[in-house]
Amino acid sequence: MQIERLLQQQGFGTRKGCRNLVRHGRFAIQGQVIEDPFLDIDPTGLKFTVDDQEWPYFEKAVVLFHKPAGYECSRKPKHHPGIYTLLPPQFVERDIQSVGRLDEDTTGLLIMTDDGQLIHSLSSPKRKVPKVYRVTVRHPLDEPQRQALLAGVMLNDDPDPAHAVAAEIVDSHTLLLTITEGRYHQVKRMLAAVSNRVEALCRVAVGGLELPADLPPGQWRWLEAADLERLWSKSP
């Protein structure tokens, strides 16, 4: 693949812009500056630098993002900043998208990719990919509430009950709740249905992929093949 085409595919701008980037000595492989934008290289396993920042080549970008509170999962946010302001511009250029959305006050694990097939697979109700939330509630939790969430609760303006796949009371005001659906404000509405109220909400896992303890809010990291295997490891 020609270098200019590779850089364009990886989100570094237009073909012309990438060509000029290379000609100005800003592109290097293993510390060697390459100024020929038409040079053919093998992208498999490639790591390159642009302006001394290292980038791995991925035909499809898949990243894990730790969403902080106060940000909307939208390219056109209405009331709060958008999460895309926290990501490298190369991702925006590649049209990377979040798989599902978290409310502006919800934090935690968000998978983002430009792989349309992966987005469809993770979002499809048929796949029933489990999502685990750490829920902080206003009122003390008890066993009847937990059992009701597992049995299924009715939500306002929704004819079908919403079921938790798992519900673990961590302490008097903290619950680990696992669901496989993605209805609007589902966790908040489910807790309201058992006469409680969500005070804080964090998604801590999707499938078998957990939010890394060492990844601060607002930061991201690449997902590779082993991560994607873990992602599907707890799906039906």
Side-chain angles (χ1 to χ4, degrees):
M1 183 184 297
Q2 290 184 340
I3 292 175
E4 65 163 11
R5 182 183 168 204
L6 179 146
L7 288 173
Q8 182 188 33
Q9 185 196 70
Q10 299 297 290
F12 285 87
T14 63
R15 186 74 66 88
K16 181 179 179 181
C18 293
R19 191 181 310 146
N20 290 332
L21 181 157
V22 176
R23 285 173 171 165
H24 283 85
R26 298 166 56 195
F27 175 86
I29 298 176
Q30 294 182 344
Q32 179 182 354
V33 175
I34 300 174
E35 297 183 356
D36 179 3
F38 304 113
L39 180 68
D40 277 311
I41 58 175
D42 181 2
T44 307
L46 176 68
K47 290 185 179 181
F48 61 91
T49 59
V50 173
D51 297 330
D52 297 323
Q53 182 177 358
E54 185 175 80
W55 288 89
Y57 172 86
F58 286 107
E59 182 179 358
K60 297 295 184 181
V62 188
V63 301
L64 185 156
F65 177 63
H66 187 167
K67 180 190 174 296
Y71 286 83
E72 296 182 24
C73 294
S74 173
R75 292 187 182 278
K76 296 180 180 180
K78 296 180 179 179
H79 307 293
H80 302 272
I83 57 173
Y84 295 93
T85 62
L86 301 175
L87 296 168
Q90 289 82 5
F91 288 166
V92 178
E93 186 73 22
R94 291 182 70 159
D95 196 28
I96 199 170
Q97 301 177 47
S98 63
V99 182
R101 296 188 175 192
L102 296 177
D103 299 337
E104 61 268 12
D105 58 348
T106 300
T107 64
L109 191 161
L110 196 63
I111 296 170
M112 307 193 70
T113 182
D114 59 358
D115 186 339
Q117 184 175 353
L118 179 60
I119 293 173
H120 175 75
S121 296
L122 288 173
S123 303
S124 173
K126 295 180 180 180
R127 298 302 293 264
K128 296 184 178 180
V129 179
K131 303 169 184 68
V132 184
Y133 293 84
R134 184 174 63 246
V135 191
T136 304
V137 297
R138 175 175 295 183
H139 308 296
L141 294 157
D142 56 31
E143 185 61 16
Q145 289 180 52
R146 191 182 80 86
Q147 290 296 334
L149 292 168
L150 291 170
V153 295
M154 300 304 298
L155 309 180
N156 290 335
D157 303 321
D158 200 326
D160 298 318
H163 298 263
V165 176
E168 176 189 349
I169 297 176
V170 179
D171 59 43
S172 63
H173 289 77
T174 307
L175 177 75
L176 285 178
L177 189 74
T178 304
I179 60 175
T180 58
E181 300 174 290
R183 304 190 207 182
Y184 179 72
H185 287 171
Q186 181 173 340
V187 174
K188 295 177 181 178
R189 294 165 68 200
M190 288 179 70
L191 268 296
V194 295
S195 302
N196 216 318
R197 179 182 175 87
V198 173
E199 295 290 293
L201 187 60
C202 178
R203 185 155 70 190
V204 296
V206 174
L209 188 65
E210 298 182 355
L211 181 67
D214 60 350
L215 186 68
Q219 299 298 308
W220 62 274
R221 70 173 179 84
W222 296 101
L223 292 184
E224 302 193 30
D227 299 304
L228 294 177
E229 288 180 9
R230 285 197 296 273
L231 180 62
W232 295 113
S233 65
K234 292 188 178 180
S235 300

